[in-house]
């Protein structure tokens, strides 16, 4: 007999005597509608707080708590909604999953709002049911797809999922929660994890193939899909049209004033430009030899384990590229002058104008193709040459534009037409004596050399256009990814999960620390309980460079240096805390000037002093000033210099003076701040230090105060956990 009470069926399940309670379909649907409303509202509110964070470039503690809350509610509502679909067939699994979601969400909210972030037990109590809820949801989805019965793959997949969940949840039982799992444990997780992925793919592929046929589409839905498809085609077409537009041509569209010159003026102009062309061509010849030599030297000096260029090597390549661009500009001016040779009435002068302009075009085409062939497949150098360099007036993507121009179908066609024009007339011009023999031979050899090189090595225009097209799509696709990555990093960098004053006071900085500093000192700082500490390698997360106050810069002779003077107004402006600027650092806002109290008002600080001359420190500070205003590099890519992380600022300031060896972290060559400490410790043991110890302010947990710690304590600080410890 079954008794109904409200919306729940209560009764006996049969002869086994087991009691059972099953929600009615109406109650399940009502609950799912509520969960979907919670999911939608939570996502909208979380997105709103994210937009506010982008607009303000800071999230703030309370806003961060609200963002975390709504994000957690969205995840919990999504998991519960998915689980409730299977409640009629798999009641026990669903009940277990809902209990896990509820328990994990309770612990999560306590971590966000209750100030119990230091309690490791609470973190464990959140992690285990959270993993369990995801595992249950995965199993239920597999059950819906038909896994769990049938052949061996279908029966084994849910087992693999459960084993993977148990092993991942077991990470919460580690003594040190922030310590990474051992390779053995990772191997244990990988085995059932691979079975879960492969089995899930097979199960869902079978379900998709055998799923019930869809109901007929209504006219309203058809109209909506039709309009959406038209809008989509329009948007895609506009996008493809924008990125696939033809680049400006190199040899057309230049006005010419040749027709307005007298015969004597034109002869004088031709002679002057001939000498200029000889000078530029000789310079390009030297530059190509130097680039070839540099390329071979760099590749010989770079072992397999160092897959990056050092800053002085990058600077050399950049300078050579800037030199090439100056030669290119000079040749383009000659081309722009003589591309209108048809405006000249005298046949001999017209022929001289053509040969002079075409010789310049041959040289620029050949030089551009040599450069493109040298670096088009070298991803590191190509990225470097595509970076903007405001100091030299180089816009972004310059290398790619040169590559496109030299491979332009229109340019190659025009260049070939001019070549045929020259080959058809050159014997007549030689016999007619339009140039003295030495000049004619020199121009002829330059034209034929460029023409032959282009014909032999020209890239396929359509292949280059497709390559540039795909590169543009890749860059455009990565922009929102980088924006999201930047937003997440800024949020983690601004979010402190335990609010309390820093351990080192402002008075201590002014009275005890600042008198011991000298311009050029490397500052290391750590703030506890920031979310970003969990994602940065090592105990020390931040480094900066002390440049000193105004009187220090004057004493070093930097007050009148062009690199310093260009940033003078910003440097002389007071810091947000009212103190004078004396530090340059790279933070989420970019490379900025800061006061000493802003940087060192932290929980742990240390200072190292490069063992260098005053001239070398002066040059390092000058280099650091040059980086001011660049954005922060949320990719932590040390190979690009258009964006910088904190330690990269120190690295580029002292490279060539100090030997910093980059280390690979998650596939990237980088310099964690801990690596600077390890460098100091290793060199001190060998009695060959490049850095001297100045001070280390540590926290004494017994006396509950800071103390000036020893050099031994400082060297051992890299062994401390990187998490939220005191």
């Amino acid at each position: 007999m079954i008794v109904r009470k409200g919306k729940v069926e209560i009764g006996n399940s049969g002869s086994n005597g087991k009691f059972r309670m099953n929600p009615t379909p109406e109650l399940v649907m009502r609950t799912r509608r509520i969960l979907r409303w919670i999911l939608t509202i939570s996502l909208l509110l979380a997105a709103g707080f994210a937009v506010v964070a982008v607009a303000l470039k800071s999230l703030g503690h309370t806003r961060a708590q609200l963002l975390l809350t709504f994000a957690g509610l969205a995840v919990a509502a999504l998991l519960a909604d998915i689980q409730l679909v299977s409640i009629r067939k798999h009641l026990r699994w669903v009940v277990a999953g809902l209990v896990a979601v509820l328990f994990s969400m309770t612990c999560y909210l306590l971590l966000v709002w209750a100030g119990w972030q230091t309690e490791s037990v609470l973190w464990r109590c959140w992690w285990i049911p959270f993993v369990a809820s995801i595992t249950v949801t995965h199993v239920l989805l597999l059950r819906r797809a038909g896994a769990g019965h049938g052949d061996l793959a279908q029966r084994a997949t849910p087992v693999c999922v459960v084993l993977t969940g148990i092993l991942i949840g077991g990470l919460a039982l580690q003594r040190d929660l922030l310590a990474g799992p051992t390779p053995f444990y990772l191997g244990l997780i990988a085995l059932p994890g691979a079975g879960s992925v492969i089995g899930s793919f097979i199960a869902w592929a079978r379900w998709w193939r055998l799923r019930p046929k869809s109901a007929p589409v209504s006219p309203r839905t058809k109209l909506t899909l039709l309009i959406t498809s038209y809008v989509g085609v329009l948007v895609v077409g506009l996008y493809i049209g924008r990125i696939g537009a033809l680049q400006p041509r190199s040899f057309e569209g230049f006005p010419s004033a040749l027709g307005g010159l007298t015969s004597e003026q034109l002869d004088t102009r031709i002679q002057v430009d001939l000498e200029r062309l000889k000078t530029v061509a000789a310079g390009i010849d030297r530059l190509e030899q130097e680039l070839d030599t540099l390329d071979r030297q760099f590749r010989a000096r770079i072992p397999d384990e160092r897959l990056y260029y050092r800053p002085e090597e990058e600077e050399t390549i950049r300078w050579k590229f800037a030199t090439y661009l100056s030669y290119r500009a000079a040749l383009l001016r000659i081309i722009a002058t003589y591309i209108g040779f048809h405006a000249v009435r005298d046949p001999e002068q017209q022929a001289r104008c053509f040969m002079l302009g075409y010789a310049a075009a041959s040289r620029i085409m050949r030089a551009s193709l040599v450069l493109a062939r040298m670096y088009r497949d070298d991803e590191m150098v190509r990225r470097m040459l595509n970076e903007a360099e405001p100091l030299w007036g180089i816009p972004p993507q310059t290398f790619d534009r040169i590559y496109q121009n030299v491979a332009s179908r229109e340019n190659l066609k025009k260049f070939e037409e001019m070549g045929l024009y020259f080959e058809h007339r050159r014997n007549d011009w030689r016999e007619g004596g339009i140039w003295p023999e030495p000049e004619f031979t020199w121009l002829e050899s330059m034209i034929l050399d460029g023409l032959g090189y282009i014909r032999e090595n020209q890239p396929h225009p359509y292949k280059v256009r497709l390559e540039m097209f795909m590169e543009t799509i890749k860059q455009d696709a990565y922009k929102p990814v980088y924006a999201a990555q930047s937003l997440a990093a800024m949020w983690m960098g601004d979010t402190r999960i335990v609010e309390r004053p820093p351990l080192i006071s402002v008075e201590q900085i002014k009275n005890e620390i600042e008198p011991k500093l000298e311009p050029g000192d490397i500052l290391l700082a750590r703030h506890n309980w920031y979310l970003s500490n969990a994602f940065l390698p090592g105990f020390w997360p931040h480094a900066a460079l002390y440049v000193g106050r105004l009187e220090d810069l004057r004493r070093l002779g930097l007050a009148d240096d062009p690199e310093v003077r260009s940033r003078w107004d910003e440097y002389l402006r007071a810091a947000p805390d009212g103190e004078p600027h004396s530090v340059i650092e790279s933070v989420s806002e970019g490379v900025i000037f800061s006061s000493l109290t802003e940087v060192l008002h932290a929980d742990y600080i240390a200072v190292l002093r490069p063992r260098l001359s005053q001239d070398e420190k002066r040059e390092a500070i000058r280099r650091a000033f040059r980086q001011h205003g660049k954005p922060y590099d949320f990719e932590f890519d040390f190979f690009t210099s258009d964006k910088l992380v904190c330690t990269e600022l120190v690295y580029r300031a002292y490279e060539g003076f100090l030997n910093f060896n980059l280390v690979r972290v998650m596939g990237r060559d980088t310099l964690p701040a801990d690596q600077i400490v390890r460098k100091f410790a290793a060199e001190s043991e060998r009695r060959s230090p490049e850095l001297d110890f100045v001070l280390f302010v540590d926290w004494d947990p017994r006396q509950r105060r800071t103390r000036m710690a020893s050099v031994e304590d400082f060297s051992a600080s890299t062994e401390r956990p990187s998490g939220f410890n005191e």
Side-chain angles (χ1 to χ4, degrees):
M1 178 178 176
I2 296 178
V3 180
R4 302 186 188 279
K5 184 177 181 180
K7 295 293 183 180
V8 180
E9 297 179 358
I10 305 175
N12 196 319
S13 62
S15 59
N16 57 12
K18 293 183 179 179
F19 185 74
R20 183 172 64 186
M21 184 172 73
N22 285 327
T24 62
E26 293 81 2
L27 180 60
V28 173
M29 290 303 299
R30 185 179 302 169
T31 305
R32 291 190 66 198
R33 280 195 294 269
I34 294 173
L35 289 172
R36 288 172 182 174
W37 273 108
I38 294 174
L39 173 62
T40 303
I41 294 172
S42 298
L43 287 175
L44 290 174
L45 290 172
F49 281 109
V51 170
V52 170
V54 172
L56 300 179
K57 296 185 178 180
S58 177
L59 194 56
H61 182 65
T62 303
R63 289 193 296 270
Q65 289 176 307
L66 290 170
L67 175 58
L68 288 171
T69 299
F70 292 126
L73 284 172
V75 172
L78 178 63
L79 293 175
D81 183 42
I82 295 174
Q83 292 172 10
L84 281 173
V85 176
S86 305
I87 194 169
R88 302 290 294 180
K89 294 184 178 180
H90 307 287
L91 178 63
R92 293 180 180 177
W93 278 96
V94 173
V95 171
L98 293 176
V99 170
V101 170
L102 180 62
F103 191 78
S104 66
M105 191 62 194
T106 302
C107 296
Y108 177 79
L109 292 176
L110 288 174
L111 287 170
V112 172
W113 290 99
W116 294 349
Q117 297 91 346
T118 58
E119 299 296 330
S120 61
V121 173
L122 192 58
W123 287 94
R124 301 176 200 272
C125 290
W126 163 71
W127 177 253
I128 293 175
F130 177 67
V131 174
S133 64
I134 294 177
T135 303
V136 168
T137 305
H138 193 171
V139 170
L140 290 173
L141 287 172
L142 288 173
R143 296 280 187 180
R144 288 187 65 194
H149 51 79
D151 58 26
L152 179 61
Q154 289 181 308
R155 293 196 304 270
T157 301
V159 177
C160 290
V161 170
V162 173
L163 285 176
T164 305
I166 292 173
L167 291 171
I168 294 176
L171 293 172
L173 304 179
Q174 296 180 111
R175 179 176 298 180
D176 183 2
L177 282 178
L178 294 173
T182 63
F184 175 74
Y185 200 84
L186 284 175
L188 287 180
I189 296 175
L191 289 174
S196 302
V197 173
I198 297 172
S200 299
F201 178 79
I202 294 174
W204 288 329
R206 288 175 175 173
W207 174 81
W208 180 262
R209 189 176 67 252
L210 301 175
R211 73 191 189 284
K213 299 298 182 182
S214 302
V217 180
S218 66
R220 180 178 299 177
T221 303
K222 288 182 179 179
L223 180 61
T224 302
L225 291 174
L226 185 62
I227 295 173
T228 303
S229 65
Y230 280 141
V231 172
V233 170
L234 176 62
V235 171
V236 172
L238 290 174
Y239 175 75
I240 293 176
R242 179 181 69 83
I243 67 176
L246 291 174
Q247 296 295 318
R249 300 177 180 180
S250 292
F251 304 129
E252 293 189 22
F254 291 107
S256 175
L258 296 179
L261 297 178
T262 65
S263 179
E264 292 76 12
Q265 290 173 331
L266 185 57
D267 283 337
T268 302
R269 182 63 181 268
I270 290 173
Q271 195 60 41
V272 170
D273 286 337
L274 175 63
E275 296 303 319
R276 181 179 290 119
L277 177 59
K278 289 181 179 180
T279 302
V280 173
I284 291 181
D285 289 340
R286 290 193 302 272
L287 181 63
E288 289 180 350
Q289 294 174 2
E290 292 169 359
L291 284 174
D292 183 65
T293 302
L294 282 172
D295 187 61
R296 286 188 280 105
Q297 287 177 348
F298 287 156
R299 297 187 185 283
R301 287 162 54 190
I302 296 178
D304 292 339
E305 63 270 15
R306 181 163 76 88
L307 302 177
Y308 59 90
Y309 289 91
R310 297 190 186 278
E312 74 273 13
E313 297 169 341
E314 292 183 24
E315 195 77 7
T316 301
I317 295 177
R318 288 179 188 276
W319 176 251
K320 298 299 182 186
F321 185 57
T323 304
Y324 157 79
L325 292 177
S326 66
Y327 288 143
R328 181 174 183 268
L331 292 174
L332 285 174
R333 282 193 292 270
I334 295 175
I335 297 170
T337 301
Y338 296 100
I339 195 69
F341 66 95
H342 286 296
V344 178
R345 297 180 180 86
D346 183 73
E348 289 191 2
Q349 286 184 323
Q350 185 184 94
R352 288 202 296 275
C353 290
F354 172 84
M355 286 190 66
L356 189 57
Y358 192 55
S362 298
R363 196 65 193 89
I364 197 174
M365 287 286 284
R366 189 187 191 284
S368 299
L369 187 54
V370 167
L371 186 76
R373 283 169 55 83
M374 184 176 293
Y375 295 128
R376 68 184 177 189
D377 297 323
D378 191 325
E379 183 181 354
M380 292 191 296
V381 178
R382 185 167 178 172
R383 285 172 56 195
M384 184 201 314
L385 299 184
N386 273 323
E387 292 175 11
E389 182 49 77
L391 180 65
W392 296 333
I394 301 176
Q397 305 303 315
T398 298
F399 178 86
D400 281 351
R401 278 197 293 272
I402 292 171
Y403 185 29
Q404 285 178 283
N405 277 331
V406 79
S408 165
R409 183 170 177 269
E410 291 75 18
N411 286 341
L412 290 172
K413 180 181 178 182
K414 188 70 174 178
F415 186 75
E416 182 64 26
E417 289 175 357
M418 293 292 187
L420 295 174
Y421 180 86
F422 171 72
E423 290 176 340
H424 181 69
R425 290 168 173 78
R426 63 170 174 153
N427 290 331
D428 294 337
W429 288 346
R430 180 188 293 276
E431 293 173 1
I434 64 169
W435 289 99
E437 183 60 27
E439 280 78 6
F440 188 95
T441 302
W442 185 82
L443 289 169
E444 180 187 44
S445 64
M446 180 172 292
I447 291 172
L448 295 178
D449 181 58
L451 192 59
Y453 189 86
I454 297 298
R455 287 172 174 172
E456 183 178 351
N457 299 287
Q458 64 176 320
H460 196 286
Y462 293 113
K463 180 180 178 181
V464 174
R465 287 195 67 181
L466 179 61
E467 180 185 342
M468 294 294 101
F469 182 81
M470 298 305 297
E471 183 65 24
T472 304
I473 291 177
K474 185 172 72 172
Q475 292 174 2
D476 288 349
Y478 185 66
K479 286 177 182 177
V481 175
Y482 184 78
Q485 181 179 339
S486 304
L487 176 62
M490 290 175 64
W491 168 67
M492 288 188 291
D494 293 342
T495 302
R496 197 174 192 183
I497 60 176
V498 173
E499 286 292 336
R500 60 150 176 75
L503 301 176
I504 300 171
S505 67
V506 173
E507 291 73 19
Q508 187 178 6
I509 296 170
K510 291 183 176 181
N511 299 329
E512 299 180 33
I513 298 171
E514 187 172 13
K516 299 180 180 180
L517 301 183
E518 294 180 4
D521 286 349
I522 298 172
L523 310 178
L524 301 173
R526 173 184 173 82
H527 295 77
N528 277 339
W529 302 112
Y530 274 90
L531 193 61
S532 57
N533 287 348
F535 300 92
L536 294 174
F539 177 76
W540 295 100
H542 186 58
L545 187 65
Y546 180 71
V547 298
R549 299 197 179 194
L550 176 59
E551 55 270 22
D552 295 313
L553 295 181
R554 284 176 174 164
R555 179 173 50 82
L556 288 170
L558 284 168
D560 296 322
D561 186 278
E563 297 284 2
V564 176
R565 294 295 296 184
S566 62
R567 281 85 174 176
W568 200 240
D569 292 341
E570 182 65 28
Y571 170 77
L572 293 179
R573 189 177 297 120
D577 64 352
E579 297 293 327
H581 287 143
S582 59
V583 178
I584 187 167
E585 61 175 343
S586 184
V587 292
S588 58
E589 292 84 0
V591 181
I592 61 172
F593 295 118
S594 300
S595 68
L596 192 65
T597 47
E598 285 180 310
V599 177
L600 298 188
H601 192 36
D603 296 313
Y604 303 86
I605 63 171
V607 180
L608 293 171
R609 181 165 299 150
R611 189 174 286 189
L612 299 171
S613 67
Q614 287 287 80
D615 289 341
E616 290 169 325
K617 291 182 181 180
R618 181 190 303 113
E619 175 61 20
I621 294 173
R622 189 186 68 81
R623 291 180 187 175
F625 265 81
R626 181 192 297 175
Q627 311 301 329
H628 178 267
K630 290 185 177 181
Y632 189 81
D633 189 356
F634 292 100
E635 293 181 300
F636 300 92
D637 187 352
F638 264 59
F639 188 72
T640 60
S641 61
D642 56 335
K643 301 184 290 289
L644 301 177
V645 296
C646 62
T647 52
E648 189 177 3
L649 177 65
V650 176
Y651 171 74
R652 292 188 176 276
Y654 277 116
E655 181 56 35
F657 301 136
L658 300 177
N659 182 29
F660 290 113
N661 290 320
L662 303 188
V663 295
R664 292 192 73 78
V665 178
M666 299 182 68
R668 296 269 182 159
D669 291 309
T670 186
L671 180 69
D674 264 33
Q675 191 65 20
I676 300 177
V677 184
R678 290 191 175 93
K679 166 186 170 62
F680 164 79
E683 292 175 352
S684 296
E685 291 180 358
R686 298 194 300 265
R687 300 186 181 278
S688 58
E690 291 186 331
L691 300 168
D692 289 326
F693 175 78
V694 178
L695 60 88
F696 172 34
V697 182
D698 200 2
W699 173 251
D700 189 338
R702 295 181 180 178
Q703 313 229 344
R704 306 297 298 170
R705 63 179 181 83
T706 59
R707 66 184 179 91
M708 288 289 183
S710 67
V711 63
E712 290 78 18
D713 292 331
F714 173 65
S715 297
S717 64
T718 57
E719 304 304 321
R720 300 182 184 184
S722 62
F724 313 124
N725 61 315
E726 292 293 285

